[in-house]
Amino acid sequence: MNIAKRIFMPIFLLTIIGAYFVGNSMGYIEREYKEANEYGFSGVVYEKKIEGGEGYRYPHYLFLNSGIRWQVSSELYDKIQIGDSVLKKSKFDSVYYYKKSGQIIIEDENLDLRNRYLEKLKEK
């Protein structure tokens, strides 16, 4: 058991340190942000589901007729109804939720990724 600790503990620590540096590298953050930014979709909500149980801690999903399963906050989940439309244009960070009543809800989906990316650009 003591030998296993001496072998696996340094490997574990180096893995954690490596993952930290890779996860905070400019290349990784830029790739993550650009993927999220370039992703686009649209559709009409045909089903809503909270996976894993009930409550705000569990992921809340909207299922769109275009085949997209989109995760939203619990607050937004409560506002969106079946039949409402969702649109995220490619190269934009905002997601538009068009309610049947005519109301439009705009959410900045990539705020955290964009802020991390811009901070890394400032460090250059």
Side-chain angles (χ1 to χ4, degrees):
M1 187 69 169
N2 200 11
I3 293 173
K5 283 183 183 177
R6 288 183 184 199
I7 293 172
F8 291 113
M9 193 56 93
I11 293 171
F12 177 72
L13 289 175
L14 289 174
T15 302
I16 297 295
I17 292 169
Y20 172 78
F21 283 110
V22 167
N24 286 309
S25 71
M26 180 59 183
Y28 177 78
I29 292 171
E30 180 178 20
R31 186 172 49 252
E32 288 288 310
Y33 172 65
K34 289 194 177 190
E35 277 181 22
N37 181 263
E38 291 175 4
Y39 182 67
F41 64 89
S42 66
V44 177
V45 177
Y46 74 88
E47 183 181 0
K48 295 169 53 174
K49 188 184 241 181
I50 301 172
E51 293 188 354
E54 289 294 324
Y56 70 94
R57 289 185 170 178
Y58 294 103
H60 294 65
Y61 291 100
L62 303 176
F63 293 86
L64 308 181
N65 65 350
S66 58
I68 302 294
R69 181 177 91 160
W70 186 246
Q71 185 172 353
V72 296
S73 68
S74 59
E75 294 85 21
L76 184 60
Y77 181 86
D78 293 335
K79 294 177 184 176
I80 301 299
Q81 301 299 319
I82 292 176
D84 293 344
S85 299
V86 183
L87 170 69
K88 184 196 179 293
K89 295 179 183 178
S90 180
K91 308 275 187 202
F92 289 88
D93 291 329
S94 297
V95 178
Y96 296 83
Y97 300 90
Y98 297 94
K99 298 190 53 66
K100 290 183 283 186
S101 66
Q103 179 187 13
I104 301 172
I105 301 170
I106 303 171
E107 292 259 319
D108 188 351
E109 267 319 296
N110 297 328
L111 180 64
D112 293 335
L113 279 173
R114 185 177 61 248
N115 286 341
R116 285 181 63 202
Y117 176 63
L118 293 175
E119 286 297 319
K120 282 293 182 183
L121 284 177
K122 286 180 187 176
E123 291 175 8
K124 271 186 155 182

